[in-house]
Amino acid sequence: MKTVLVSAVALIDADGRVLLAQRPEGKSMARLWEFPGGKVEPDETPEAALIRELREELAIDTWESCLAPLCFASHSYETFHLLMPLFACRKWEGTPRPVENQALKWVAARDLKSYPMPPADIPLISVLRDWL
């Protein structure tokens, strides 16, 4: 089974809320909520992938020094195995906006479990909630 490396981030605002993005129609797992991020390209670090993805998907900039490794997900889907480090980030430049027509929502950590998420994201909720 092929392993896919995806990098994700918990963007945390001044009120301690976490930004979730809703997968748009037409993508696999459409309408599920997830932590922003994306696939790590060949010869790219997880941090560099996240910086690139945040610029492309949310029109914000951050720096490697602002990405703190928090935990990771390891989950087998039907056709691939997902390995996904989750970083925490409290500092970025710009205001997140949905460049790819995805819905965005700032959510209190205690409420994250109320949002339907892909199976790989679900175990990350309790780690993030306890950390915040």
Side-chain angles (χ1 to χ4, degrees):
M1 185 176 287
K2 179 181 176 183
T3 297
V4 176
L5 180 60
V6 169
S7 194
V9 67
L11 289 174
I12 304 162
D13 73 3
D15 296 323
R17 298 176 303 170
V18 178
L19 185 70
L20 293 181
Q22 190 175 41
R23 296 182 63 81
E25 293 295 332
K27 285 194 171 186
S28 67
M29 295 185 262
R31 301 182 62 188
L32 295 182
W33 293 88
E34 64 184 356
F35 301 103
K39 287 183 184 173
V40 178
E41 300 294 336
D43 299 322
E44 190 176 47
T45 66
E47 294 86 352
L50 204 44
I51 291 166
R52 175 183 52 75
E53 290 282 351
L54 290 174
R55 188 174 300 123
E56 292 172 1
E57 294 181 2
L58 300 176
I60 61 172
D61 288 308
T62 193
W63 305 267
E64 191 169 332
S65 62
C66 297
L67 298 172
L70 185 59
C71 59
F72 71 95
S74 182
H75 183 81
S76 290
Y77 286 100
E78 202 170 298
T79 58
F80 66 96
H81 186 85
L82 179 77
L83 184 61
M84 183 172 66
L86 178 69
F87 293 84
C89 180
R90 293 179 184 268
K91 185 176 179 184
W92 59 87
E93 192 172 272
T95 301
R97 58 183 179 85
V99 175
E100 297 181 345
N101 297 320
Q102 72 277 38
L104 301 177
K105 184 150 182 134
W106 289 101
V107 179
R110 69 181 175 278
D111 297 329
L112 288 171
K113 65 182 177 294
S114 301
Y115 291 80
M117 294 182 145
D121 290 54
I122 293 169
L124 303 175
I125 293 171
S126 60
V127 174
L128 188 56
R129 188 186 62 233
D130 291 350
W131 185 71
L132 289 173

